[in-house]
Amino acid sequence: MTYKKRLSIVALASLAAALPVLAQDVRPGPPPGAPPPPIPVLTVSGDGEARVAPDEATVRLGVLAQAPTARAAQEEVNRTANAILEAVRKVGVPAEQIQTEDLNLNPVYAQNRPGEQGEPRIAGYQANNVVSVRVVKLDQTGPVIDAGLAAGANRLEGVAFGLRDDRAARTAALTSAVAAARGKAQALARALDVRLVRILEVGEGGVQVAPQPIFKGRMAMTAMSSETPVSAGQVGVSATVTVRWEIAPCPAQGNCQ
């Protein structure tokens, strides 16, 4: 075989090897640097709640006094507040669980008579003191209220139950919220005839602990004929999550798993 024939055979073989490459799809793709096409998504939110028995209570007792002078009003409030503190301690509440929250002293103005000009005059002074008592033995809640009222408290600012450690309740609420979000996503996917591919993003909307209020009033009776009944009930812990899913069309009509 001559050199020219061998060269022709090699050229034909190279051309045959290149033919499959030439037969490939040569449709133009996205231009270089162009952003990828957007991913179809489905965004849902879910709410969850856990209700558990409380293990602490907060009682807020107050005393309000009014006198012609600021000193007299403050001294009257101080005497009553000290009596409240002593009475609560005798119930069995440690001193570190008792705290003064509000301490105010304000002038009381008299209204001008009809036709009287000038600034309103000060007719006296009003002093206020609120004592917050944290009760970890729930059966002491009623006795703490009664002791404070008997000692001179004339304001009951509120009683609320809560949790010392709410981590387990928060976890349960979040788990419930995620299950609710998943259920919503599945229902919407069926209605839209699409399938859920994967989770792209999960966001926690927040977890809130709602203390269970017993009652909240401004004025309290100065004497109680019987013990104050108190029922702890349950504390609600709520959570919200937002989940973003990637979705895709179903393979066939009515055949989407």
Side-chain angles (χ1 to χ4, degrees):
M1 182 181 296
T2 65
Y3 173 76
K4 289 184 178 181
K5 289 183 178 180
R6 289 198 301 268
L7 185 59
S8 299
I9 293 172
V10 171
L12 290 173
S14 300
L15 179 60
L19 286 177
V21 177
L22 295 175
Q24 291 180 357
D25 187 4
V26 293
R27 288 178 296 178
I39 299 175
V41 298
L42 175 65
T43 303
V44 297
S45 62
D47 300 320
E49 184 183 34
R51 301 196 67 84
V52 295
D55 57 11
E56 71 173 10
T58 301
V59 180
R60 300 180 76 245
L61 296 163
V63 55
L64 177 69
Q66 184 170 324
T69 65
R71 181 173 181 178
Q74 190 62 57
E75 287 180 348
E76 183 178 347
V77 163
N78 291 344
R79 285 193 298 269
T80 305
N82 288 330
I84 294 172
L85 294 174
E86 183 63 25
V88 170
R89 283 193 290 264
K90 288 182 178 179
V91 174
V93 179
E96 59 269 19
Q97 294 173 205
I98 307 172
Q99 182 180 14
T100 299
E101 286 194 351
D102 294 324
L103 186 61
N104 297 306
L105 178 64
N106 299 297
V108 178
Y109 294 94
Q111 294 184 350
N112 290 338
R113 299 182 180 88
E116 185 178 2
Q117 301 296 325
E119 296 294 330
R121 59 185 177 84
I122 296 177
Y125 290 86
Q126 190 177 80
N128 178 49
N129 192 335
V130 177
V131 177
S132 176
V133 184
R134 179 169 166 263
V135 183
V136 296
K137 296 179 180 179
L138 296 185
D139 58 353
Q140 292 181 336
T141 306
V144 164
I145 296 173
D146 296 336
L149 295 177
N154 54 17
R155 296 167 68 90
L156 183 56
E157 297 289 334
V159 181
F161 289 102
L163 298 170
R164 278 173 280 176
D165 186 355
D166 58 15
R167 286 176 293 183
R170 287 173 177 265
T171 299
L174 283 171
T175 301
S176 177
V178 170
R182 183 182 294 275
K184 282 185 180 181
Q186 292 171 342
L188 288 171
R190 287 193 297 268
L192 297 171
D193 197 27
V194 297
R195 59 188 177 91
L196 302 175
V197 179
R198 59 179 177 136
I199 295 176
L200 298 176
E201 184 180 3
V202 179
E204 179 188 343
V207 180
Q208 295 182 344
V209 181
Q212 175 65 34
I214 296 301
F215 50 81
K216 184 174 182 179
R218 302 301 294 177
M219 300 302 295
M221 295 179 3
T222 57
M224 302 292 291
S225 58
S226 61
E227 294 183 359
T228 301
V230 175
S231 176
Q234 289 184 320
V235 175
V237 181
S238 60
T240 301
V241 297
T242 301
V243 185
R244 193 160 63 98
W245 296 77
E246 178 185 351
I247 58 175
C250 293
Q253 185 71 22
N255 188 28
C256 196
Q257 300 296 328

